[in-house]
Amino acid sequence: MVRNLDELRRRARQQWDAMARSAAPRILVGTATCGRAVGALETLQAIEDHTRQEGIECTIVEVGCLGLCYAEPVVSIVRPPWPMICYGRITPEVARALVDRVVRDGDPASPWALGSVGEGRVEGIPSLFETPVFRGQVRRTLGNCGFLDPGQIDHYLAQEGYRGLERALHMAPDEVLDEVRRSGLRGKGGAGFPTWRKWKFARDAPGAPKYVICNASEGDPGVYHNKLLLESDPHRVLEGMLIAGYAVGAEEGYIYCPARSWLALRRLRAALRQMERCGLLGEKILGASFDFHIKIKEGAGSYVCGEETALIECLEGKRGMPRLRPPFPPVTGLWARSTVVNNVETLAAVALILHHGASWFADVGTENNRGTKVLCLSGNVERGGVIEVPLGTPLRHLVEAIGGGPPGGKRLKAVQCGGPGGGCLPPSCLDTPADHDSLLPLGASLGSGGVVVLDETVCLVDLAHNTAEFACRESCGQCVPCRLGTRQVLEISRDIVEGRGKPADLDLLVDLAEGIRLGSLCAHGQTALKPLLSALGHFRDEFEAHVREARCPAGVCSLESCPSRQSEPSWAT
């Protein structure tokens, strides 16, 4: 077991520098889930077969995701003396031609190029970070994603990995807490609670043992950036988890990850084995008097298990249902012991804070929302993917500058912020800052980081019906208002989209949603109908058209063929 991380890092850096100085071209293929979904593994196989058959000398590396989901599969090539050039939409057929042109013939193949990375310029190819999709981004949490092999700890060490842990182990736990406090880091799972305060509650709680849990549940539709981080840069998250354990006095940690995120699980397990070999996990980490062990728990994928107390119930072998709070997990959590639950992005940010310092982290964002936020941009948008921007960046910049707006010249109708518990905002709200506080008065939230762009072809009534269906399906059933109320809302919304709605239904929906919010135990029931309420508030004219005129302005709902409702919904009888 190696205890000298400086020596490990020196060797890793030597190997990295040798690879960078090599005259042999280097081909990087993004093989995270989004790339695999559109054929990245077939592209990788085509490149391996073609270079072998043609006798082309090169190094082929599997890397994570750059966040350019709209351009997948993404292939990057380093051919000295050019800088790295990133290419998009590289199918197996295009891959063979790309390798021939770039690697063999010395042609930069600009028609497929997205941009270059590093020093130097190639004529006709812009710098990647000066293109619209990257302009305005501040890539810190995502800094390694798409450039390193996530299966190699040496790649992470060569980029100064585990510097934050080293620094933390030379500080007192209270000093680590103070560093996180001064950074202004707020939890990135949705609530935005100050991270240092949660940690202090846990540290001050009596008794032992204490636990740290990494919440990688991420069951929100259209949100997948935590999975991307685990697939592309797992060591950064694990480093943050170790720092959290040291700060709160825990010796054991758990990663709760759904079984469906099999690639993230595979890379986490490989990373844990590498950490053990390097003395970064287990007893007396890096020679310090700090012991920490990490176990992985595969979850069944229930959405409500993203709630921290329901997640803890799962870890204890029980059905995933939220607990009554207080007491909160930092006081009474896993097996009635003090427990810190942080999500993937929060822990990755912790590693950066301890590496670069609190002031570095806090130099972007706003006064009450420091740092950056990783967001998933999807829906009717030209350039969808995973982005990272300073907190407080206006929604307009996300949608129009980075995303390119709706494709085909269509008109923007709404932006849904915050996943299934977020709200739908009209274009008049696009200048609102994307942070934890500014969106709440408008009926939306930053939430889990989903930003869904909706154009004029989308019916907001149909969208509200879909979110009501999700809310009903994912209710754990523990709370009567949530279990029965979401079913009632679903049936009324179905009546409206199918032409059986009545004007009185609109006010009834508001009353039901408010009752569910007030009577529910966890955030699912408290926020699940936010999309419906915000759509009713900002787009009531569409709902009125459905119930008064039997007309869908977007042409999505086939109201004309449905008879008017003559009786009360089934739940009312």
Side-chain angles (χ1 to χ4, degrees):
M1 181 180 292
V2 180
R3 299 284 186 191
N4 190 336
L5 197 56
D6 285 336
E7 178 61 21
L8 279 177
R9 190 177 287 111
R10 185 184 64 80
R11 294 176 189 172
R13 191 68 203 180
Q14 285 178 342
Q15 295 172 5
W16 180 272
D17 290 343
M19 182 175 63
R21 289 193 300 266
S22 173
R26 188 162 78 253
I27 303 174
L28 284 63
V29 183
T31 57
T33 296
C34 53
R36 291 173 184 236
V38 290
L41 290 182
E42 290 78 4
T43 295
L44 173 65
Q45 188 64 54
I47 292 173
E48 291 175 340
D49 292 345
H50 187 67
T51 54
R52 183 177 61 254
Q53 292 165 4
E54 298 296 319
I56 298 173
E57 184 181 353
C58 63
T59 301
I60 301 172
V61 183
E62 286 190 56
V63 296
C65 179
L66 264 173
L68 303 176
C69 301
Y70 73 96
E72 293 285 359
V74 172
V75 174
S76 302
I77 300 180
V78 182
R79 185 190 189 279
W82 296 336
M84 177 188 293
I85 302 175
C86 300
Y87 300 92
R89 301 185 178 92
I90 305 303
T91 63
E93 296 72 25
V94 172
R96 300 182 186 94
L98 179 69
V99 170
D100 286 342
R101 287 181 60 172
V102 178
V103 178
R104 188 182 63 188
D105 302 336
D107 178 350
S110 55
W112 294 311
L114 300 170
S116 64
V117 179
E119 297 180 1
R121 291 289 183 270
V122 181
E123 186 176 354
I125 298 177
S127 168
L128 184 68
F129 295 113
E130 293 173 2
T131 57
V133 70
F134 282 105
R135 198 178 300 126
Q137 289 198 51
V138 176
R139 291 175 69 86
R140 292 179 169 181
T141 308
L142 299 179
N144 290 336
C145 298
F147 299 110
L148 307 183
D149 182 348
Q152 297 291 334
I153 192 172
D154 286 348
H155 282 208
Y156 186 65
L157 290 172
Q159 305 304 313
E160 302 300 304
Y162 290 102
R163 283 288 189 198
L165 175 63
E166 281 185 301
R167 181 174 174 234
L169 293 179
H170 285 89
M171 302 165 67
D174 286 340
E175 292 176 317
V176 176
L177 279 173
D178 189 60
E179 189 82 4
V180 176
R181 179 190 63 79
R182 291 188 294 107
S183 74
L185 175 65
R186 297 171 65 173
K188 297 181 180 294
F193 189 78
T195 301
W196 76 273
R197 193 177 298 278
K198 179 185 287 190
W199 288 12
K200 183 166 176 56
F201 288 149
R203 179 158 184 80
D204 293 345
K210 298 181 180 183
Y211 302 98
V212 171
I213 298 175
C214 173
N215 182 355
S217 178
E218 198 169 47
D220 300 35
V223 179
Y224 46 91
H225 60 277
N226 285 335
K227 180 170 67 173
L228 180 149
L229 278 167
L230 294 176
E231 292 176 355
S232 304
D233 196 11
H235 284 285
R236 178 161 287 170
V237 180
L238 294 169
E239 181 179 4
M241 199 171 176
L242 286 168
I243 294 168
Y246 176 73
V248 305
E251 295 185 358
E252 191 167 359
Y254 289 85
I255 301 172
Y256 179 90
C257 186
R260 64 173 178 268
S261 299
W262 62 269
L263 183 58
L265 287 164
R266 176 194 295 177
R267 290 182 172 167
L268 278 170
R269 290 191 174 102
L272 292 176
R273 290 193 295 269
Q274 293 166 358
M275 291 171 69
E276 289 174 348
R277 290 198 298 268
C278 294
L280 291 164
L281 204 60
E283 308 296 323
K284 299 191 180 304
I285 293 172
L286 297 181
S289 58
F290 171 52
D291 304 338
F292 200 75
H293 302 266
I294 296 176
K295 298 178 182 178
I296 294 175
K297 166 67 175 178
E298 290 189 30
S302 168
Y303 172 71
V304 79
C305 287
E307 197 276 337
E308 60 182 8
T309 62
L311 184 156
I312 289 171
E313 290 283 293
C314 286
L315 287 176
E316 293 181 352
K318 305 170 188 174
R319 182 180 176 186
M321 301 175 76
R323 296 176 178 175
L324 182 65
R325 300 181 300 176
F328 292 89
V331 177
T332 303
L334 185 63
W335 293 301
R337 300 295 185 180
S338 172
T339 305
V340 164
V341 184
N342 287 134
N343 83 331
V344 169
E345 188 186 349
T346 305
L347 293 170
V350 166
L352 290 167
I353 290 167
L354 268 294
H355 181 179
H356 298 283
S359 59
W360 171 87
F361 181 85
D363 69 359
V364 297
T366 64
E367 183 177 356
N368 295 319
N369 292 268
R370 302 290 188 182
T372 62
K373 181 73 182 83
V374 181
L375 301 167
C376 293
L377 189 61
S378 62
N380 306 126
V381 66
E382 194 74 45
R383 296 185 289 268
V386 179
I387 63 176
E388 184 176 5
V389 296
L391 282 162
T393 300
L395 291 174
R396 186 179 304 279
H397 186 81
L398 307 181
V399 174
E400 296 180 354
I402 295 177
K410 291 186 171 63
R411 178 178 59 86
L412 176 70
K413 177 181 281 189
V415 179
Q416 185 186 7
C417 301
C424 298
L425 302 179
S428 59
C429 296
L430 282 184
D431 293 318
T432 304
D435 60 40
H436 294 290
D437 305 315
S438 302
L439 294 169
L440 291 176
L442 302 175
S445 68
L446 197 59
S448 53
V451 179
V452 183
V453 181
L454 309 170
D455 68 16
E456 58 191 322
T457 65
V458 175
C459 172
L460 270 298
V461 181
D462 183 59
L463 176 73
H465 171 64
N466 287 334
T467 57
E469 186 175 33
F470 177 84
C472 181
R473 182 177 67 247
E474 295 297 337
S475 173
C476 74
Q478 181 175 192
C479 306
V480 173
C482 183
R483 182 177 73 244
L484 299 183
T486 54
R487 170 62 60 182
Q488 294 171 353
V489 169
L490 174 60
E491 293 199 16
I492 295 173
S493 66
R494 182 184 294 122
D495 283 341
I496 293 173
V497 298
E498 292 181 357
R500 298 184 299 274
K502 298 187 298 186
D505 288 341
L506 304 185
D507 292 331
L508 180 57
L509 282 174
V510 174
D511 292 340
L512 279 170
E514 182 65 9
I516 295 168
R517 183 186 70 82
L518 292 173
S520 295
L521 185 63
C522 80
H524 177 64
Q526 292 163 7
T527 65
L529 297 176
K530 262 190 174 182
L532 186 148
L533 290 174
S534 61
L536 260 172
H538 294 293
F539 303 93
R540 192 176 180 97
D541 56 329
E542 285 205 30
F543 287 82
E544 295 280 358
H546 280 70
V547 298
R548 295 186 184 278
E549 305 171 31
R551 178 177 63 87
C552 176
V556 173
C557 308
S558 303
L559 300 174
E560 292 80 2
S561 61
C562 298
S564 296
R565 191 177 70 198
Q566 299 298 322
S567 60
E568 293 298 321
S570 58
W571 58 263
T573 58

